[in-house]
Amino acid sequence: MLEDFKLKVFVTVVQERNFTKAAKVLGISQPAVSQNISDLENTLNTKLFERNRGDIALTENGRTFFQYAEKILYWYNSAASMFAIAANTKLEKINILASADVAEFILPDVLASLYAAIPGFCDARYAPASKSASITAFVPTRCGRKRVNSHFSG
């Protein structure tokens, strides 16, 4: 999984409000939690926690950094999820047959929406015929189901 372990330790300590409880949640020792926090504080050149006989509280910089850390971990998770989905996705060819008017006036907007909405939507080809048009597009699918629903009115 894509992540920064020190950030995960920091966020877990904040959520648990206790180094020992965070260690249990993370499945590591309490000294390992302390070392990760210390390394993070040294890297950032600031104190993140006030420590007082078992009690901890975020410093002002700690509160600010917590907001960033949560967002960074969120985006790590989002990126990992996106690429996991892409790895399980194949491109499937679809053909759209429409009248020339629909193909000329409606489908360009529909295809533009598909390009914007579906990562991996690619390679649409328009082949006009005298009274109808055929459009071939390659659409990402998972589990054999197309993820495209197009409705035409005319």
Side-chain angles (χ1 to χ4, degrees):
M1 170 164 227
L2 185 62
E3 69 181 21
D4 182 322
F5 190 69
K6 286 180 179 34
L7 290 181
K8 187 174 180 179
V9 170
F10 172 73
V11 168
T12 305
V13 170
V14 172
Q15 291 169 339
E16 296 298 321
R17 298 183 177 145
N18 183 290
F19 280 46
T20 303
K21 288 179 184 176
K24 286 181 184 175
V25 168
L26 295 166
I28 61 175
S29 68
Q30 187 275 324
V33 169
S34 296
Q35 185 61 51
N36 276 280
I37 296 300
S38 178
D39 290 348
L40 196 53
E41 288 176 327
N42 289 335
T43 299
L44 297 171
N45 198 30
T46 191
K47 255 179 114 172
L48 298 171
F49 294 99
E50 292 292 338
R51 298 165 181 89
N52 188 13
R53 294 188 183 165
D55 289 334
I56 61 168
L58 283 170
T59 63
E60 187 166 332
N61 284 341
R63 284 188 293 277
T64 301
F65 186 70
F66 178 65
Q67 293 173 357
Y68 284 102
E70 280 190 312
K71 290 175 185 172
I72 291 166
L73 291 175
Y74 168 82
W75 286 112
Y76 273 142
N77 189 41
S78 294
S81 295
M82 160 89 174
F83 287 100
I85 289 168
N88 295 322
T89 301
K90 67 175 187 164
L91 293 180
E92 187 169 317
K93 180 179 174 180
I94 63 168
N95 290 307
I96 302 169
L97 186 61
S99 71
D101 289 340
V102 169
E104 184 176 350
F105 297 107
I106 295 175
L107 286 181
D109 289 337
V110 171
L111 290 173
S113 296
L114 292 175
Y115 276 112
I118 302 173
F121 184 85
C122 62
D123 200 25
R125 294 189 185 111
Y126 172 67
S130 58
K131 293 187 180 189
S132 65
S134 173
I135 294 181
T136 301
F138 293 90
V139 182
T141 61
R142 284 190 303 240
C143 304
R145 285 193 251 146
K146 290 178 181 56
R147 294 172 31 197
V148 177
N149 293 317
S150 298
H151 301 284
F152 301 105
S153 59

